[in-house]
Structure formats: structure tokens, C-alpha cells
Amino acid sequence: LPKEAHETGMLSLDKTKNKGELKQWLKEKDGVLSWKLDGLTIVLTYEKGRLIKAVTRGNGEVGEVVTNNAKVFSNIPLTITYKETLVLRGEAVITYSDFEKINKELEEEEKYKNPRNLCSGSVRQLNNEITAKRNVHFFAFALVRADHRDFENSREKQLIWLESLGFEIVPYKKVSGDNVEKTVENLERKIPEND
């Protein structure tokens, strides 16, 4: 696959498993708490309302161009109403139920270890007919660039706007220091049933 440098580098995020640290980090601010989906991060670029490019995260600075494969994801809009340059990030995933269905059809030595590996292999196929059969979903999680749009530094407003354009967005909850610990606990309880 051809390689291409990202316009804006994708850095790793800080991590914590301590809900108290998250509460401390928020302080008096509101935040957006969402699932961390385990798939393959993809950067989409639209020009004049058309999908023109899809690039994997790669090493955060350079990724692989997978535009033809992204065009056959089950839920990516190929055209949108916004006509200026739009760059967004999201996660390509294959659900656990689709993973199990696909793995059953493969020979033992071809089976994938987990949905993330299956998704990565599916998105990086040279033949997008294979990708199309794998039912890859895309969940937008970050807006990188939207010319002449002001979201008042609000991640929630960005996500709502992306959803209005036809993108499926990563499910999220609005949180504050007062409720973030309880909200994390509620999400933790839903992990086993999250396909």
C-alpha cells in the first residue's frame, strides 16, 4: 500500500486506570467520555463534499493509503453536504458477532486471533471486494479540520456536527468531576454486552 504523511501528527494519549486521576484532571471543566474502540484508526479527508482520501494511523506521522477500502466500509458516507475541506479521525472496527461469523468460514490456519487483527487485515487488503464482505464499521471520534467552522473549543459540538453530516460517532457521555467516576463504572458494566 502507498504511504503518506499525515497533515497533523497523531500522538499517543495519556493513559490512566485510576478514576480519581480522571476526576482530578477534569477539575471544574466538563468533558466527553467515550469508549476506546479497539480497531484501526483511519483519517478521512473530504473535498467539495466527496471522500478523496483515507489513511491509516501508521506510526502517527506516516500511514498507509486505504481509500478504496474505506469506500466499501458499511457506514461511511461517500458524499456529504459540507463542501469545504474536512479531515476527521475515527476507528474502523469489526464487531465481535461479525468476527465470530467470519472466523467460522475460515480454515483453521487462516483464523484471526481477535476482531482487531481481522479489521486490520481487512482494511489493508489490496482487493476491496474482500474488505466489503467483512462488514467494517467506522466510528468518528475526532475532528481535525473543518475550514470556516467554529465549534467554540467543544468536542461535543464537533461530534454532533459530524453526526449531522452522516457519520456514526463513537458513543459518549458528557461528564464533570462530580459524575465521571460513576459514569466510568456504568460503562465498565456494559463492556461484556458491547458488540
Side-chain angles (χ1 to χ4, degrees), residues 116-133:
R116 183 182 194 278
N117 289 357
L118 175 60
C119 185
S120 179
S122 301
V123 171
R124 299 172 68 242
Q125 289 288 326
L126 297 179
N127 178 355
N128 77 352
E129 290 175 20
I130 296 170
T131 309
K133 292 176 186 170

Side-chain angles (χ1 to χ4, degrees), residues 20-32:
E21 284 181 17
L22 207 50
K23 178 178 181 170
Q24 183 62 33
W25 178 78
L26 274 170
K27 294 186 178 131
E28 305 300 319
K29 298 183 294 292
D30 287 333
V32 171

Side-chain angles (χ1 to χ4, degrees), residues 19 22 33-35 171-175 178-194:
K19 293 183 269 294
L22 207 50
L33 180 72
S34 65
W35 294 102
Y172 71 90
K173 300 280 185 194
K174 197 166 178 182
V175 292
D178 294 336
N179 70 0
V180 68
E181 292 172 299
K182 195 73 171 159
T183 306
V184 169
E185 288 167 15
N186 290 339
L187 286 175
E188 283 174 338
R189 281 195 285 277
K190 293 178 181 176
I191 290 172
E193 66 200 43
N194 187 348

Side-chain angles (χ1 to χ4, degrees), residues 103 105-113 118 134:
N103 243 6
E105 297 168 3
L106 298 173
E107 298 295 326
E108 196 57 43
E109 65 277 358
E110 295 175 328
K111 289 187 188 299
Y112 285 86
K113 191 174 178 180
L118 175 60
R134 300 277 174 87

Side-chain angles (χ1 to χ4, degrees), residues 6-22:
H6 295 295
E7 184 179 320
T8 306
M10 289 197 277
L11 307 173
S12 295
L13 300 174
D14 268 349
K15 295 178 181 153
T16 182
K17 292 186 182 238
N18 182 318
K19 293 183 269 294
E21 284 181 17
L22 207 50

